[in-house]
Amino acid sequence: MTKALSAPVDDPVHKLTDGQWRDFSRPSLPPMLQAALDCFVEHGYHGTTIRVVAARAGLSVPGLYHHYPSKQALLVGIVELAMKDLLSRSEAAVADAGSSVEERFRLVVECLLLFHAYRSELAFIAASEIRSLEGGSRPRHIAQRDRQQRMVDEIVVAGVAEGVFSTPHAIDASRAVVTMCTGVAQWYRHGGPLTPEEVAVRYGLVARMAVGQPRL
């Protein structure tokens, strides 16, 4: 048997300041959740058995159950940490921008794009397996997703009110921008022609055009 992964580590999401929201060098998940994520990406949630996850983690099934009592608990853990990480980074990006609505928009969009490129597999599973969440986990996840959307909505609405953005449909433009950013997780592959930073520059321009901001 391969060497067992360690027990769940402390929450890898931490308070981010002074541009740290751009740093993706830390692991996004504790080891056992990372093993589950890898399996869900390869086989889908319903196509993955707890035995497969345990083998990937180098654990016995009872050993895995000691930390996560079900496959659903693994999915919930993955989804909750994904949204916590994204929201923490987004809030830090907005804080770094200060009072300028133009800068708040630019940085929150950059944050969304970087996250969905660097954490493409995590973001993809968090979005595509919403249907597999059970009980109160699904509405909790949707509430966090809506909170992220409102963050961008408020910035775009404020930008229109200040005359910085010219779109006549602020909320629709905001939703289109967020959908474009989150969609990066569906196609981005590391080692491809664009780095995450290049994606952020290119799609950031498209986002600014969507809200009617003059080209810089």
Side-chain angles (χ1 to χ4, degrees):
M1 179 179 288
T2 58
K3 183 179 179 181
L5 296 174
S6 60
V9 299
D10 292 338
D11 187 341
V13 179
H14 62 295
K15 185 173 178 58
L16 302 164
T17 58
D18 300 327
Q20 290 179 339
W21 52 270
R22 293 188 177 98
D23 181 8
F24 289 85
S25 60
R26 288 167 55 94
S28 58
L29 295 171
M32 275 180 272
L33 290 185
Q34 184 62 53
L37 174 65
D38 293 342
C39 293
F40 295 162
V41 169
E42 291 178 16
H43 309 294
Y45 174 75
H46 292 291
T48 298
T49 66
I50 201 71
R51 188 173 299 278
V52 168
V53 177
R56 178 67 64 93
L59 296 168
S60 65
V61 171
L64 182 60
Y65 277 142
H66 177 72
H67 300 290
Y68 295 96
S70 66
K71 186 172 70 169
Q72 179 68 195
L74 289 165
L75 179 61
V76 170
I78 289 169
V79 169
E80 288 184 348
L81 281 180
M83 286 307 303
K84 187 174 182 179
D85 190 15
L86 177 58
L87 287 167
S88 176
R89 291 177 185 276
S90 298
E91 290 166 355
V94 172
D96 278 355
S99 61
S100 167
V101 70
E102 180 179 350
E103 189 70 354
R104 294 203 305 274
F105 180 76
R106 185 182 72 82
L107 292 191
V108 77
V109 167
E110 179 186 355
C111 178
L112 282 167
L113 290 166
L114 289 177
F115 181 88
H116 286 85
Y118 274 110
R119 302 284 196 243
S120 56
E121 292 186 344
L122 176 62
F124 176 76
I125 290 300
S128 64
E129 294 294 354
I130 292 177
R131 63 187 183 276
S132 300
L133 292 171
E134 300 172 0
S137 298
R138 186 182 302 178
R140 282 198 305 273
H141 176 71
I142 292 173
Q144 289 183 312
R145 187 185 63 183
D146 291 347
R147 176 181 163 194
Q148 177 70 61
Q149 180 66 60
R150 284 195 303 273
M151 189 185 306
V152 183
D153 290 348
E154 290 167 1
I155 293 170
V156 176
V157 169
V160 171
E162 293 180 17
V164 176
F165 305 145
S166 62
T167 175
H169 307 292
I171 298 299
D172 293 323
S174 176
R175 288 173 180 163
V177 167
V178 171
T179 300
M180 176 187 70
C181 293
T182 58
V184 168
Q186 298 181 31
W187 60 263
Y188 186 80
R189 295 295 179 268
H190 296 283
L194 295 176
T195 67
E197 289 75 17
E198 289 169 335
V199 171
V201 170
R202 184 174 296 187
Y203 276 57
L205 173 60
V206 176
R208 291 193 296 273
M209 294 173 68
V211 298
Q213 180 180 346
R215 185 166 182 170
L216 300 179

